[in-house]
Amino acid sequence: MNTATVPASTRPTESTPSLSADASSIRRNLAACYRMFAQRGMDDLIYTHLSARLPGSNGRFLFIPFGMLFDEVTASNLLEVDAAGNDVSGSGTAVNPAGWVVHRTVYDAVPTAQCVMHLHTICGTAVSAQKDGLLPVNQFGITYAGQIGYHDYDGPGLRPDEQKRFVANLGSKRMMFLRNHGTLTWGRSIAEAFTLMHYLERTCEIQVAAQGSGTLALPPQAIIDATVATAQGVGDASFGRIGFEALVRRLDRTDPSYRH
Ligand SMILES: [Zn+2]
């Protein structure tokens, strides 16, 4: 929307949360992601986070209030945080600064990123600690070959000097292992970031299970290369939309309270 066509009194200000219908659907879809990960036990007390950029808002994005559990998140209680990490509603609700800066760093480095997800699951963190990282143990592990960044552990938080290495390690990739820490995905939509995280985490679970059950049988490199070359859909901007919408319908049937 061109702000020149909007009366000054109705333009968003630094203290006015975005209220457009588009922002409403972004709130609902991000809240749904929190609930779906909570239902699968993929949260970690109050210390992981999912975010979504609000278009046309000077870099603001939606973020979980610090201290809230994933299954407590609703569309309306997500914070709208500004470029400095402050809740623009003025509620004084705290934002986890160590978590917020990870998301801020991705949004600043990747203009097309609309959603960022970061988890500390058991299997995702286990694979992050393996020297060889993600292995081609299943079809998604094969397809993801070469599409995953690795960022070495360098203490808690993300200091200014570490942010440059973080961005360099992410490069053009949409998935990253934070070594000895967890997983991260970003997407051009909430559905894409969610689906990348779903399959990245699922592949980690399969890898850890397979490693504990015997010697791994992995495909020859030529088959892996051919599979990557012919993979369909994974790079599409709408990747994951149909599956994500199906999961949202399931959530609507089982616990629609996230919509409020
Ligand atoms: Zn973390």
Side-chain angles (χ1 to χ4, degrees):
M1 179 183 297
N2 183 344
T3 56
T5 65
V6 179
S9 61
T10 61
R11 287 178 198 158
T13 68
E14 282 307 302
S15 59
T16 305
S18 300
L19 294 172
S20 71
D22 188 48
S24 297
S25 90
I26 292 170
R27 282 182 173 275
R28 279 197 306 276
N29 284 332
L30 187 63
C33 292
Y34 275 102
R35 297 298 191 92
M36 290 189 280
F37 284 137
Q39 286 182 342
R40 303 170 183 197
M42 294 169 73
D43 47 353
D44 177 17
L45 281 177
I46 56 170
Y47 298 109
T48 50
H49 12 79
L50 322 174
S51 67
R53 196 198 297 263
L54 289 165
S57 65
N58 294 325
R60 296 177 190 167
F61 58 82
L62 300 176
F63 205 63
I64 187 172
F66 191 41
M68 187 172 284
L69 295 167
F70 275 25
D71 63 0
E72 295 175 318
V73 171
T74 66
S76 61
N77 67 23
L78 284 163
L79 299 181
E80 183 174 334
V81 296
D82 63 19
N86 300 309
D87 168 25
V88 302
S89 76
S91 69
T93 306
V95 175
N96 178 352
W100 169 83
V101 73
V102 172
H103 296 249
R104 175 82 274 153
T105 300
V106 176
Y107 288 126
D108 286 347
V110 187
T112 51
Q114 297 301 319
C115 179
V116 178
M117 300 190 166
H118 170 52
L119 298 176
H120 298 165
T121 63
I122 293 171
C123 292
T125 306
V127 174
S128 84
Q130 295 186 6
K131 273 195 168 58
D132 293 332
L134 197 73
L135 301 173
V137 292
N138 72 341
Q139 295 191 79
F140 277 90
I142 294 168
T143 306
Y144 287 170
Q147 295 190 43
I148 301 178
Y150 292 84
H151 178 69
D152 286 345
Y153 188 71
D154 196 12
L158 201 56
R159 300 181 313 279
D161 63 309
E162 188 186 354
Q163 290 172 24
K164 291 180 185 169
R165 291 196 299 281
F166 183 93
V167 169
N169 290 331
L170 181 62
S172 61
K173 301 176 176 72
R174 284 173 284 150
M175 295 170 278
M176 186 156 73
F177 283 104
L178 282 61
R179 292 278 196 196
N180 316 103
H181 179 169
T183 51
L184 179 141
T185 64
W186 69 262
R188 293 160 289 186
S189 66
I190 291 174
E192 183 180 54
F194 178 90
T195 307
L196 288 170
M197 183 62 88
H198 166 86
Y199 280 115
L200 177 61
E201 289 284 348
R202 192 170 176 85
T203 302
C204 289
E205 292 167 13
I206 291 167
Q207 178 168 325
V208 170
Q211 288 169 320
S213 58
T215 304
L216 296 180
L218 300 177
Q221 190 59 47
I223 297 296
I224 293 173
D225 293 343
T227 302
V228 170
T230 57
Q232 299 292 316
V234 173
D236 192 307
S238 64
F239 174 59
R241 180 177 55 80
I242 296 172
F244 179 73
E245 289 174 352
L247 286 176
V248 171
R249 292 197 301 274
R250 175 190 284 169
L251 189 61
D252 283 337
R253 291 193 296 274
T254 56
D255 182 8
S257 63
Y258 77 95
R259 300 175 71 89
H260 301 307

